[in-house]
């Protein structure tokens, strides 16, 4: 009962500039929404005589457009991963970057989905139409399961990769962070400003 609109405005001013930590417009928007929902409910249930959050100004924030790869950047990335696959400058051939980059570019799968792929999720029964099943162990997420086609040449890259990185269960037996390091290395070699799972998905 001691909290009023002035208290809420003071809290938002603190969030925005006085707490010594940057506050993004999106975070501030979420805080205002939370306050309006919570104090609106308190007034509706008659714990408060009026909705003290009604006067708060709700500034809608437009999310920035996503970073995307240009066609030239994709070409540079693929040329780089092909070089790595064949053994760049006399180094040992490494098919992992090409397998990873072509997988995400062609399927648009999320990082979390990528690290959970098991070998038995790959359907290579039809050489002309190889596919990947995206599986979710939780029954709540079963609606997200789907079958995604892979490029016809991808199984050849997979064979080379498995000869270099033998694995019996997960396709990529590393953490997501390790795979991000692989992408960072490829981006530096290809002179691409930023390469993430998100930019490849877009």
């Amino acid at each position: 009962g001691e909290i009023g609109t002035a208290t809420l405005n003071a809290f938002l001013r603190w969030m925005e500039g006085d707490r010594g930590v940057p506050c993004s417009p999106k975070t501030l928007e979420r805080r205002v929404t939370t306050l309006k929902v919570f104090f609106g409910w308190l007034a509706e249930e008659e714990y408060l005589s009026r909705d003290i959050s009604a006067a708060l100004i709700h500034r809608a924030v437009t999310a920035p457009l996503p970073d995307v790869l240009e066609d030239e950047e994709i070409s540079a990335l693929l040329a780089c991963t092909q070089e790595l696959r064949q053994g760049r400058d006399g180094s040992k051939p490494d098919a992992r970057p090409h397998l990873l980059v072509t997988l995400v570019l062609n399927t648009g799968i999320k990082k979390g989905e990528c690290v959970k792929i098991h070998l038995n999720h790959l359907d290579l029964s039809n050489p002309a139409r190889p596919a990947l099943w995206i599986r979710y162990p939780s029954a709540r997420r079963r609606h997200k399961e789907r079958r995604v086609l892979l490029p016809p040449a991808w199984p050849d890259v997979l064979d080379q990769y498995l000869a270099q990185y033998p694995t019996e269960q997960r396709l990529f037996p590393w953490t997501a962070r390790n795979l991000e390091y692989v992408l960072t290395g490829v981006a530096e070699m290809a002179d691409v400003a930023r390469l993430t799972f998100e930019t490849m998905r877009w």
Side-chain angles (χ1 to χ4, degrees), residues 147-163:
R147 184 176 187 269
V148 187
L149 289 178
L150 297 165
W154 197 81
D156 292 336
V157 185
L158 176 66
D159 288 342
Q160 184 185 359
Y161 163 80
L162 291 175

Side-chain angles (χ1 to χ4, degrees), residues 71-188:
D71 289 343
E72 302 79 39
E73 292 175 309
I74 292 172
S75 296
L77 286 169
L78 294 176
C80 180
T81 58
Q82 280 286 21
E83 274 186 58
L84 291 169
R85 182 183 171 200
Q86 292 157 7
R88 183 177 183 154
D89 300 328
S91 62
K92 186 177 174 184
D94 187 359
R96 181 174 62 169
H98 193 68
L99 188 84
L100 176 62
V101 169
T102 54
L103 174 68
V104 180
L105 282 176
N106 284 281
T107 62
I109 61 174
K110 296 179 180 178
K111 176 170 53 178
E113 293 171 336
C114 187
V115 296
K116 291 178 183 165
I117 296 172
H118 284 241
L119 291 179
N120 63 8
H121 296 168
L122 298 170
D123 179 2
L124 309 178
S125 57
N126 181 350
R129 294 176 63 81
L132 163 67
W133 283 98
I134 300 298
R135 303 283 192 200
Y136 281 85
S138 168
R140 258 181 344 112
R141 297 181 180 269
R142 291 276 159 77
H143 66 282
K144 292 187 172 188
E145 294 193 345
R146 60 203 184 277
R147 184 176 187 269
V148 187
L149 289 178
L150 297 165
W154 197 81
D156 292 336
V157 185
L158 176 66
D159 288 342
Q160 184 185 359
Y161 163 80
L162 291 175
Q164 295 167 354
Y165 298 95
T167 177
E168 294 182 2
Q169 290 191 339
R170 283 171 49 214
L171 177 62
F172 297 112
W174 299 280
T175 63
R177 177 64 56 87
N178 286 110
L179 295 181
E180 287 169 342
Y181 290 148
V182 172
L183 297 180
T184 300
V186 169
E188 287 172 4

